[in-house]
Structure formats: structure tokens, C-alpha cells
Amino acid sequence: MSDTMAIAADTPRTQYRPSQRLLHWSMAIVIICALTIGLYCSYLTPGIPLRRALLDVHKSLGMAALFLIAIRLPLRLSVGEPAYQQPLSVFNHYAARGAHILLYVLMIVMPLAGYTTSAAGGHDLPFFGLFEWPNIVPQDKGLERISAEVHHYAGYCLLAIVSLHILAALWHHFIVKDNVMKRMTF
């Protein structure tokens, strides 16, 4: 083995793998679009064509996020995360860990609650006009109401956590000027 290969093998990885970065940024776009559309639809009159069309896109994005998290989470668990070039303080370490765990939980809860709301309410389950997801939940107005509440409040939690995540990344990049943000950039 050459000296450069030996050094490279001993050097800890400081950036997420390309597949992890691609999934991160794909999900960021999908989730931010879904949150924006969902929030906008909450201000539209129920039943109008624009709201129905936007909710179809919102549902499609939610199911796309669920599909992507089903790939992303096992990948993250199997390959882990890269080392920090400069270790985080204890507070930042635990804050980042907690925020990431909450993000992963919400990335699963949100689409499942949205799916359950639509399915239990007997509504369409479209995927970008390509097909309809199968409805595996019985129609149940009580379940629809509960899952709609979970989806609603979890949506605001997700919006808050995503906002904090973005602000933390910007804080690291522009204020602290460390390499934390470079771990996830291409």
C-alpha cells in the first residue's frame, strides 16, 4: 500500500457520503415544499379547486418524504456520521443530537399522520398523478380527526425544528466559521 493510501485510510472521514448528502438535500427540498404548501392550504377555503390541487401535491410530497426516509434512516444507521474537524461543545453536541433525533421522528410521523388522515377520511391518496396509494386504513372519522391533529401540530414542530436546523447551520458557517456545514455540502 502506498503512503498516500495509508494516510487516507487513517484519516477520519469529515464529510457525509455522497448518497447521504443527496438524500439530505432531496429531503430538504421535498419537506420545505410540503410544509410551505400545507401551510398555504390551511389559509385557503376548503373545497376550492386550487386547495384540492395543492393538497394533492402536498400529499405526494409527503409520501415521497416517507419513501426517502425509508432509505435514509437505514443508511444513516449503517454508515454513521463523519467526525467533526473541530469537536462541538457539550451543549452543541447534545442540542444537535436531540434536534436530529426529533427531525427523524417527525420525518416519519408527519407523512404517516397525513396518510392516515386522508385514508381514514376516505380521501384520495395520489402520487403526482401517476397512481393512487392503496388505502389500508378503514374509514373512521375519529381516527381522521386524531391523525389530523397529530399532523397539524407535528407540522408546526417540524417547521420549528427545520428552521432551527437551518439557523444552526448558518450560525456555524457565518459566525463560528467552523466546517460543520461542509460536512453536508457537495
Side-chain angles (χ1 to χ4, degrees):
M1 178 166 27
S2 74
D3 289 338
T4 15
M5 288 176 61
I7 291 169
D10 290 341
T11 305
R13 189 171 44 96
T14 58
Q15 195 173 37
Y16 283 93
R17 294 172 189 234
S19 57
Q20 290 175 295
R21 287 180 274 153
L22 179 63
L23 283 165
H24 174 272
W25 291 109
S26 299
M27 289 192 74
I29 292 167
V30 166
I31 289 168
I32 290 169
C33 288
L35 283 170
T36 302
I37 292 169
L39 188 59
Y40 179 67
C41 285
S42 72
Y43 291 100
L44 295 176
T45 306
I48 66 169
L50 174 62
R51 186 173 192 267
R52 282 196 308 267
L54 287 173
L55 283 175
D56 283 353
V57 173
H58 174 77
K59 292 174 187 182
S60 298
L61 290 168
M63 293 306 284
L66 185 61
F67 175 77
L68 291 171
I69 195 66
I71 297 168
R72 184 176 177 186
L73 187 56
L75 180 63
R76 171 69 185 265
L77 293 172
S78 66
V79 299
E81 63 180 310
Y84 288 97
Q85 285 184 342
Q86 299 121 358
L88 298 178
S89 70
V90 172
F91 173 78
N92 283 338
H93 171 77
Y94 286 111
R97 180 75 57 226
H100 281 110
I101 290 168
L102 190 53
L103 274 170
Y104 277 99
V105 168
L106 289 169
M107 287 187 286
I108 296 167
V109 167
M110 282 297 295
L112 288 177
Y115 172 88
T116 304
T117 301
S118 288
H123 305 290
D124 293 339
L125 301 162
F127 190 71
F128 298 111
L130 300 172
F131 61 87
E132 291 279 326
W133 289 98
N135 184 346
I136 58 173
V137 176
Q139 283 193 15
D140 180 334
K141 290 298 179 188
L143 179 59
E144 177 190 20
R145 190 172 47 258
I146 291 167
S147 58
E149 288 288 316
V150 169
H151 190 70
H152 175 84
Y153 289 111
Y156 284 110
C157 288
L158 183 59
L159 181 60
I161 294 296
V162 166
S163 298
L164 284 172
H165 183 69
I166 292 167
L167 289 172
L170 294 173
W171 177 75
H172 276 283
H173 187 71
F174 292 110
I175 307 297
V176 179
K177 297 184 182 195
D178 59 16
N179 292 320
V180 168
M181 199 160 147
K182 290 182 180 175
R183 293 161 37 109
M184 195 52 85
T185 57
F186 282 96

